[in-house]
Amino acid sequence: MPLIKLNDKEIEVENGARLLQVALDEGFDIPHYCYHPSLSIAGNCRMCCVEVEGMPGLQISCNVTINELPEERKVDGSYDMVVNSESEEVKDARSRVLELLLLNHPLDCPVCDQAGECYLQDYSYLHGNAHSRFKEEKRVNPKKRLGDEIWIYPNRCVLCSRCIRFCDEIVGDPQLIVRNRGYSSIIDVRDGQPIDNKLSGNTADICPVGSLVSNDFLHKTRVWNLKEHDTVCMDCSVGCNVEIGVSNNEIQRIKPRYNKDVNDYWMCDDGRLGYHAAEKVERLQSPLLKGENGFDPISWTEAFEVIRENVISKEGFNASEFALIGSPYCTNEENYLLRKIVESMSVPASNIGLYPAEMEGDPIIFKSGFRISPDKTPNRTGAIDMLRVDNTMTPGDLSNGRVSIIYMLQGGLYDVMNESMLEILNNADFVIVQSTYLSDAAKLADLVLPGTMHYEKSGTMTNDRRRVQKINQAVVPPVGTREDWKVILEFANSIGCEGIEFENVDEITTEIASSIPGYEGCSTEAVGSAGINLDFEEEENKKVLA
Amino acid sequence: MMEKILTRNIAVENSHRISAYIASGGYEALKTVLNDLSPDEVTDIVKNSGLRGRGGAGFPAGVKWGFVPKETDKLKYLVCNADESEPGTFKDRLILDNDPHMMLEGIAIASYAIGANTAFIYIRGEFAAQTLILNEAIEEMKEKGFLGKNILSSGYDLDIIITRGAGAYICGEETALLTSLEGKRGYPRIKPPFPAVAGYLNSPTIVNNVETLCCVPHIISRGADWFKSIGTEMSSGPKLYCVSGHVRNPGVFELPMGTPLKELIFEHAGGVLHNRKLKAVIPGGSSTSVLKADEIDIAMDFDSVAAAGSMLGSAGIIVMDEQTDMVDACYNLSRFYAHESCGQCTPCREGVPWMTMILGRITNGKGGRRDIDLLLDICKSIERKTICPFGDAAVAPVKSYIDKFREEFDYYVENKKSMVQENEKSDIVAN
């Protein structure tokens, strides 16, 4: 392995490693704009220059690859490369590039969405000059909407071409171009067609300055007011890692979080904007009991009394007439609690369901391999594993009319009712639906329990490639609601399930790790912020189910 | 005076037709190559001739050809760079107009030497008439069996494709040319990889200038030693010098490498116009540093001009007489470079137009004392800090003009007017 010396630090690197990336990984903050680890090398910003012994002038470190040298050519007899990223010449070159980038840059940081997380701001502070020597008139180009989600403020642009390369190399649809030449260069859409690919929002994320900005986040808040929460996207079964920016207990934006095994640096616009769907529904803030004139709000205490009365007291509990329907929108922990009820109350396997069924369609796969799943449920795999139901049996076996009491968990916002489900719910004597809003299913229920949205809860989920990932609460659920796992637990207690006691979600996660086949080792700590892959294959899982 | 080699046919009637070219011994070299020589032998002959690239950089052509990987399953390409657009340079156009077959024969031989079956001619977009001539010449070549499948029964195939540029100076830079050839925006690429390894469509590609390729048939016909006997030790062969500006007899002159610059200006180009005094000479196209009148006692070969602090470049000699306003001339060139910067690299995109704006301000009488040092400092921000040599090319005039004619710049910022105009006026009063 090549050995390099970077500012007196000895580093062993892989053959062919890129100098800039090595330096960044080692914590050397070499400033850069055009370099992005997932994009090709453009080498145009000239910011990342360093001194490399034996090479003439300054080198842009993004384009320097480190290779093992033969013994006789090693620098000082032992190094394959000796680099200085802090020499006076390097510092001078950086401040010169910054000066040039700032010549025409507007001083509109107070109204720029990027302020606070802007590389131009940060590097100017660290490496720039306080005074401008530019006495000429600044170049001015009007802002322009490039697509539904993207605006460009060309005056702020540093022409690093990250957005262009992203469209070319990751999306595979070169929708962005440089128009005009030289000093008049400007990023624009091709042929006047809006940028409408499903990954367009990422161009704003990777813009190192405030040139490309998100329409959704435009002038919403200052980034330093945001509290960022690491979690997982809820809008399809891929499970992109995301970072949710929250202020005033409201989601302000969702950005992708790097995970090389799942989503790299990207996420799709559906997921990015998916949180707005929750804003469109009227959230339930107390349990609802169906009366003669529609639903009446009741207290949680009353709700569980109603449950006790209807599920176990009326004619005694009959497990064969009791059905539980889990949700692929809910966490592993929530579905696992349903499983606990099944075991505790000896509910027959045929009375366990999962709804809705897997959504059909082809995945959208982009040039880089990034994909969007047709199944919009985030945790189908996990729900199947927890409930040990076959994904295809949803809830077919329940439709023979024997079932009289149904407890249905309904996470998410899915609101399509299929005929068999309609029939099941209509035929049952007493239906309890746990939902965030008055969905079609909830409307058919006798008792509705308010549920919590994805970004309001914590736990784990398993994506469609069998990777267990941690989700974390980003916003506090509305007054009157309780976390889903607590409601399920209380439901279990109210119908007399024994031995189901948990203090917090982590305890459930721990128990899953010790009792669900394949989930061994999936403790909260082990799952961590990046997730872990389940080591057993789907085939083996089927065997376990059998 | 040297025997005419590259321009020997120019005066012949219909010199652009294949009949005229063949009558002068044309395509004999190609026959020799295809019948008797291996590609490596051809490369070696060119190496031994000492032929250096005539596009400006002066890199030995044979050595460049030798960089093409031998063991590769990729297609190889030869590109003839006919995107002549350096201000003050008009030598390739002369050949394209009058002797296209000499270049085509050179292309065929070079293609054979590097194992390319496709050659491109990337021709400057403005050369519309020359493109027509070339098209015709290629048709003639095909008719005679010098192009196409199994040329002269040698088993060697070659196709020549003409691509017209779209008006960008930068596309004369070889990597930008290749990007443009691929149908993309003409941005230069980072080297390495060099085109000889990864050029057109990532395949090994050799890019040679028109004049370079024109030397090749002559080297094959008459031998490397003959070629080496012309010119200087390190810069061999004949050279087309373009002389323009304030001279009596501007034009292209074919003379050996190393011809004294003074001889070119005062003998061949007839001396300075109106018998005025010489003030400055740009020796190798606008992107080379300017020389003062007392610095022109040099030989025009790669090393001598470099030793004088400039470059032989394309040998586009621009002569300026005593009445030239050097600040205005500098502004003029700077405007050109600001207009032609591709805009890829920060220093060039932002820095060159900034220099131009300052120069414009100075010539408008709005310059300040600090502006001149600022200009020199901006040069430092651009020099050697860009992907391609354009940044350096744009800096060279500004730096050298200020360096050598500082008093004119100082005069401008202090008196808000040109020193030259002032002198001119006093001349008129005196007369």
Side-chain angles (χ1 to χ4, degrees):
Chain A
M1 271 178 32
L3 179 70
I4 69 164
K5 192 162 93 173
L6 174 55
N7 303 347
D8 298 328
K9 183 173 181 180
E10 289 187 356
I11 308 164
E12 264 202 352
V13 301
E14 295 285 331
N15 224 0
R18 287 203 180 274
L19 177 56
L20 177 55
Q21 191 59 52
V22 167
L24 295 173
D25 292 345
E26 290 291 326
F28 292 94
D29 186 19
I30 297 183
H32 59 280
Y33 294 106
C34 66
Y35 174 77
H36 188 283
S38 270
L39 301 175
S40 63
I41 300 298
N44 59 32
C45 76
R46 316 308 288 183
M47 195 65 193
C48 69
C49 55
V50 295
E51 250 179 61
V52 181
E53 221 164 277
M55 289 192 190
L58 297 179
Q59 297 293 318
I60 44 171
S61 57
C62 63
N63 195 46
V64 174
T65 42
I66 304 164
N67 291 305
E68 185 139 27
L69 297 176
E71 277 312 315
E72 68 276 11
R73 282 179 54 208
K74 288 204 194 287
V75 187
D76 299 340
S78 50
Y79 302 112
D80 297 280
M81 196 175 279
V82 174
V83 183
N84 190 341
S85 72
E86 294 300 326
S87 73
E88 287 310 311
E89 199 187 346
V90 169
K91 287 179 181 168
D92 176 61
R94 277 178 196 163
S95 78
R96 285 174 183 279
V97 172
L98 269 173
E99 174 181 42
L100 293 168
L101 285 175
L102 289 168
L103 291 185
N104 288 288
H105 196 88
L107 295 174
D108 65 347
C109 302
V111 293
C112 176
D113 280 340
Q114 194 82 6
E117 52 183 19
C118 173
Y119 285 96
L120 199 55
Q121 243 180 8
D122 294 351
Y123 294 156
S124 295
Y125 184 73
L126 287 169
H127 312 289
N129 308 315
H131 303 284
S132 173
R133 299 188 288 177
F134 189 66
K135 293 185 209 147
E136 327 304 324
E137 209 161 288
K138 288 198 179 200
R139 175 178 58 205
V140 177
N141 288 303
K143 69 178 179 182
K144 179 177 173 182
R145 194 159 184 179
L146 298 184
D148 278 350
E149 174 51 9
I150 298 295
W151 284 87
I152 185 164
Y153 287 71
N155 300 337
R156 299 173 187 159
C157 183
V158 295
L159 283 158
C160 69
S161 78
R162 277 184 180 187
C163 53
I164 294 177
R165 283 175 284 144
F166 173 80
C167 289
D168 288 356
E169 297 161 16
I170 306 296
V171 182
D173 187 1
Q175 291 186 308
L176 294 179
I177 55 160
V178 180
R179 191 175 298 291
N180 304 335
R181 189 170 69 192
Y183 197 65
S184 314
S185 297
I186 189 170
I187 305 285
D188 203 352
V189 288
R190 186 178 287 263
D191 303 328
Q193 294 300 305
I195 170 168
D196 59 359
N197 69 71
K198 285 231 183 235
L199 301 185
S200 69
N202 296 292
T203 56
D205 297 339
I206 58 174
C207 181
V209 295
S211 182
L212 291 189
V213 290
S214 152
N215 181 61
D216 186 50
F217 187 62
L218 195 65
H219 305 325
K220 245 187 187 175
T221 181
R222 310 315 324 247
V223 296
W224 51 85
N225 292 331
L226 295 178
K227 181 152 173 40
E228 311 266 14
H229 301 267
D230 289 358
T231 187
V232 175
C233 178
M234 67 168 178
D235 282 286
C236 84
S237 59
V238 171
C240 290
N241 291 208
V242 297
E243 193 179 80
I244 300 192
V246 176
S247 71
N248 295 330
N249 200 38
E250 272 175 32
I251 297 177
Q252 305 293 337
R253 69 171 181 194
I254 300 184
K255 279 171 72 169
R257 179 164 56 92
Y258 173 64
N259 189 329
K260 72 177 187 335
D261 295 318
V262 183
N263 55 315
D264 205 15
Y265 291 88
W266 326 117
M267 75 181 296
C268 74
D269 292 354
D270 294 346
R272 186 185 298 270
L273 305 174
Y275 70 95
H276 288 298
E279 296 162 359
K280 295 192 181 101
V281 298
E282 199 177 327
R283 292 292 296 275
L284 299 179
Q285 287 180 289
S286 73
L288 300 174
L289 182 67
K290 194 173 261 172
E292 282 165 16
N293 307 317
F295 286 110
D296 299 316
I298 56 171
S299 74
W300 281 100
T301 318
E302 286 167 333
F304 288 112
E305 265 165 30
V306 171
I307 289 167
R308 197 173 298 117
E309 209 172 285
N310 282 281
V311 178
I312 54 176
S313 309
K314 265 191 180 162
E315 294 154 28
F317 182 71
N318 182 349
S320 66
E321 291 189 359
F322 178 64
L324 288 161
I325 301 173
S327 169
Y329 289 101
C330 287
T331 61
N332 287 341
E333 288 69 21
E334 289 151 7
N335 283 299
Y336 177 73
L337 287 179
L338 288 191
R339 179 79 212 167
K340 293 287 282 183
I341 299 173
V342 167
E343 281 167 1
S344 169
M345 308 297 280
S346 306
V347 178
S350 61
N351 286 11
I352 313 166
L354 186 59
Y355 189 82
E358 186 164 347
M359 298 162 200
E360 304 282 325
D362 294 322
I364 304 172
I365 298 175
F366 296 88
K367 190 176 179 184
S368 70
F370 183 91
R371 68 197 169 95
I372 302 174
S373 165
D375 187 2
K376 300 302 173 195
T377 64
N379 192 32
R380 179 169 305 281
T381 310
I384 291 171
D385 289 344
M386 297 307 129
L387 294 167
R388 300 186 214 173
V389 291
D390 192 317
N391 188 31
T392 56
M393 75 175 264
T394 321
D397 284 355
L398 302 175
S399 60
N400 55 16
R402 283 185 293 117
V403 176
S404 58
I405 297 167
I406 297 172
Y407 176 39
M408 181 180 191
L409 203 53
Q410 201 184 32
L413 290 162
Y414 185 75
D415 203 11
V416 176
M417 189 58 76
N418 68 24
E419 279 183 23
S420 69
M421 197 65 212
L422 192 66
E423 200 185 321
I424 295 163
L425 295 176
N426 277 332
N427 289 346
D429 296 336
F430 191 73
V431 175
I432 306 152
V433 171
Q434 187 167 327
S435 173
T436 54
Y437 70 113
L438 210 51
S439 63
D440 285 352
K443 282 174 195 156
L444 296 171
D446 298 285
L447 177 67
V448 185
L449 302 174
T452 42
M453 289 283 183
H454 179 96
Y455 295 133
E456 295 166 356
K457 53 182 143 191
S458 298
T460 60
M461 289 193 173
T462 311
N463 83 352
D464 56 7
R465 294 209 168 147
R466 311 198 59 71
R467 187 182 186 85
V468 182
Q469 308 194 103
K470 182 93 182 73
I471 64 162
N472 295 304
Q473 188 184 56
V475 287
V476 180
V479 176
T481 59
R482 295 179 182 186
E483 284 176 67
D484 276 339
W485 72 273
K486 284 186 181 159
V487 178
I488 302 167
L489 195 69
E490 203 158 336
F491 175 89
N493 291 335
S494 65
I495 63 167
C497 294
E498 278 171 21
I500 310 181
E501 274 174 41
F502 295 101
E503 286 295 313
N504 53 45
V505 175
D506 284 352
E507 284 183 12
I508 313 178
T509 314
T510 309
E511 190 173 307
I512 290 172
S514 65
S515 65
I516 297 289
Y519 282 71
E520 298 88 0
C522 292
S523 64
T524 309
E525 295 75 37
V527 171
S529 61
I532 46 174
N533 284 332
L534 294 178
D535 50 14
F536 77 136
E537 294 299 316
E538 219 155 322
E539 282 308 303
E540 289 177 50
N541 189 28
K542 288 234 172 81
K543 269 182 238 158
V544 174
L545 289 171
Chain B
M1 198 179 280
M2 189 194 78
E3 165 207 2
K4 296 286 177 243
I5 299 159
L6 302 174
T7 54
R8 65 177 178 185
N9 279 341
I10 301 268
V12 177
E13 204 181 338
N14 280 331
S15 61
H16 62 285
R17 305 304 296 262
I18 199 164
S19 49
Y21 186 61
I22 290 174
S24 71
Y27 288 113
E28 289 304 318
L30 180 63
K31 286 178 192 164
T32 312
V33 164
L34 294 181
N35 293 330
D36 307 329
L37 296 172
S38 73
D40 285 350
E41 284 169 329
V42 177
T43 306
D44 284 342
I45 294 171
V46 173
K47 254 184 216 169
N48 292 336
S49 75
L51 171 64
R52 290 172 71 171
R54 303 305 201 227
F59 194 81
V63 176
K64 198 176 191 179
W65 296 1
F67 288 152
V68 172
K70 297 272 177 271
E71 306 294 324
T72 174
D73 45 9
K74 285 182 175 170
L75 294 174
K76 297 164 196 158
Y77 298 96
L78 182 96
V79 177
C80 169
N81 185 349
D83 192 55
E84 183 176 56
S85 32
E86 177 80 4
T89 313
F90 37 88
K91 61 190 179 60
D92 296 344
R93 188 178 65 192
L94 183 82
I95 292 170
L96 291 163
D97 267 329
N98 297 294
D99 206 351
H101 283 285
M102 180 169 50
M103 178 188 85
L104 291 171
E105 188 178 8
I107 290 174
I109 296 169
S111 301
Y112 174 77
I114 64 163
N117 297 112
T118 306
F120 292 95
I121 301 169
Y122 188 94
I123 186 166
R124 181 177 174 183
E126 288 88 334
F127 286 178
Q130 288 78 2
T131 309
L132 294 177
I133 293 170
L134 263 188
N135 273 327
E136 225 172 279
I138 287 174
E139 285 310 312
E140 287 179 330
M141 218 179 152
K142 283 181 187 159
E143 275 166 32
K144 296 277 181 191
F146 296 132
L147 198 61
K149 292 264 175 225
N150 195 14
I151 300 168
L152 304 170
S153 312
S154 63
Y156 175 66
D157 306 334
L158 179 68
D159 203 6
I160 298 180
I161 298 166
I162 300 176
T163 305
R164 289 180 67 190
Y169 168 78
I170 193 60
C171 290
E173 194 277 335
E174 64 175 359
T175 59
L177 184 152
L178 292 173
T179 323
S180 169
L181 196 61
E182 289 173 2
K184 298 174 190 156
R185 191 180 168 83
Y187 272 166
R189 303 175 187 167
I190 308 179
K191 293 193 259 189
F194 288 88
V197 178
Y200 178 67
L201 300 179
N202 222 11
S203 287
T205 307
I206 292 296
V207 184
N208 282 146
N209 171 260
V210 171
E211 189 188 347
T212 315
L213 289 165
C214 285
C215 292
V216 173
H218 301 288
I219 292 170
I220 299 295
S221 299
R222 302 168 76 168
D225 290 338
W226 163 82
F227 194 81
K228 262 190 109 63
S229 73
I230 306 166
T232 68
E233 166 100 42
M234 297 305 293
S235 306
S236 57
K239 179 79 194 86
L240 298 178
Y241 297 96
C242 322
V243 188
S244 61
H246 301 140
V247 287
R248 281 205 188 85
N249 177 30
V252 179
F253 304 97
E254 182 181 9
L255 292 160
M257 272 286 187
T259 301
L261 180 52
K262 273 191 163 166
E263 181 189 322
L264 271 158
I265 297 170
F266 291 102
E267 287 180 28
H268 303 286
V272 181
L273 207 56
H274 304 315
N275 277 330
R276 288 192 184 126
K277 266 171 69 188
L278 179 71
K279 185 181 211 171
V281 179
I282 300 173
S286 64
S287 57
T288 58
S289 295
V290 71
L291 299 172
K292 289 172 85 164
D294 58 5
E295 294 173 317
I296 65 160
D297 205 1
I298 53 168
M300 288 293 282
D301 60 75
F302 289 109
D303 306 298
S304 306
V305 188
S310 188
M311 275 169 74
L312 178 65
S314 58
I317 300 159
I318 304 172
V319 177
M320 291 177 264
D321 71 17
E322 56 187 329
Q323 293 195 0
T324 312
D325 176 345
M326 294 311 281
V327 183
D328 197 41
C330 183
Y331 175 45
N332 183 34
L333 281 182
S334 191
R335 267 199 335 253
F336 170 78
Y337 286 103
H339 183 254
E340 293 298 341
S341 167
C342 82
Q344 195 179 192
C345 307
T346 309
C348 178
R349 178 186 68 240
E350 305 290 337
V352 178
W354 186 16
M355 293 197 302
T356 310
M357 286 182 228
I358 295 169
L359 285 164
R361 211 153 34 77
I362 294 174
T363 54
N364 274 329
K366 289 175 184 157
R369 201 178 293 265
R370 285 183 187 168
D371 282 333
I372 302 165
D373 287 328
L374 178 57
L375 280 170
L376 289 173
D377 197 60
I378 299 170
C379 289
K380 279 192 212 159
S381 299
I382 303 170
E383 248 181 327
R384 303 206 306 168
K385 292 190 171 70
T386 50
I387 289 175
C388 81
F390 183 99
D392 298 352
V395 160
V398 177
K399 246 175 82 168
S400 62
Y401 281 54
I402 296 179
D403 182 34
K404 293 178 180 172
F405 300 94
R406 174 92 192 203
E407 67 282 0
E408 289 196 31
F409 287 82
D410 286 338
Y411 190 93
Y412 240 121
V413 295
E414 268 163 44
N415 301 289
K416 313 295 178 199
K417 58 190 172 188
S418 165
M419 187 170 162
V420 176
Q421 283 164 9
E422 192 70 359
N423 289 345
E424 245 175 284
K425 271 181 225 152
S426 44
D427 280 356
I428 293 163
V429 174
N431 291 338

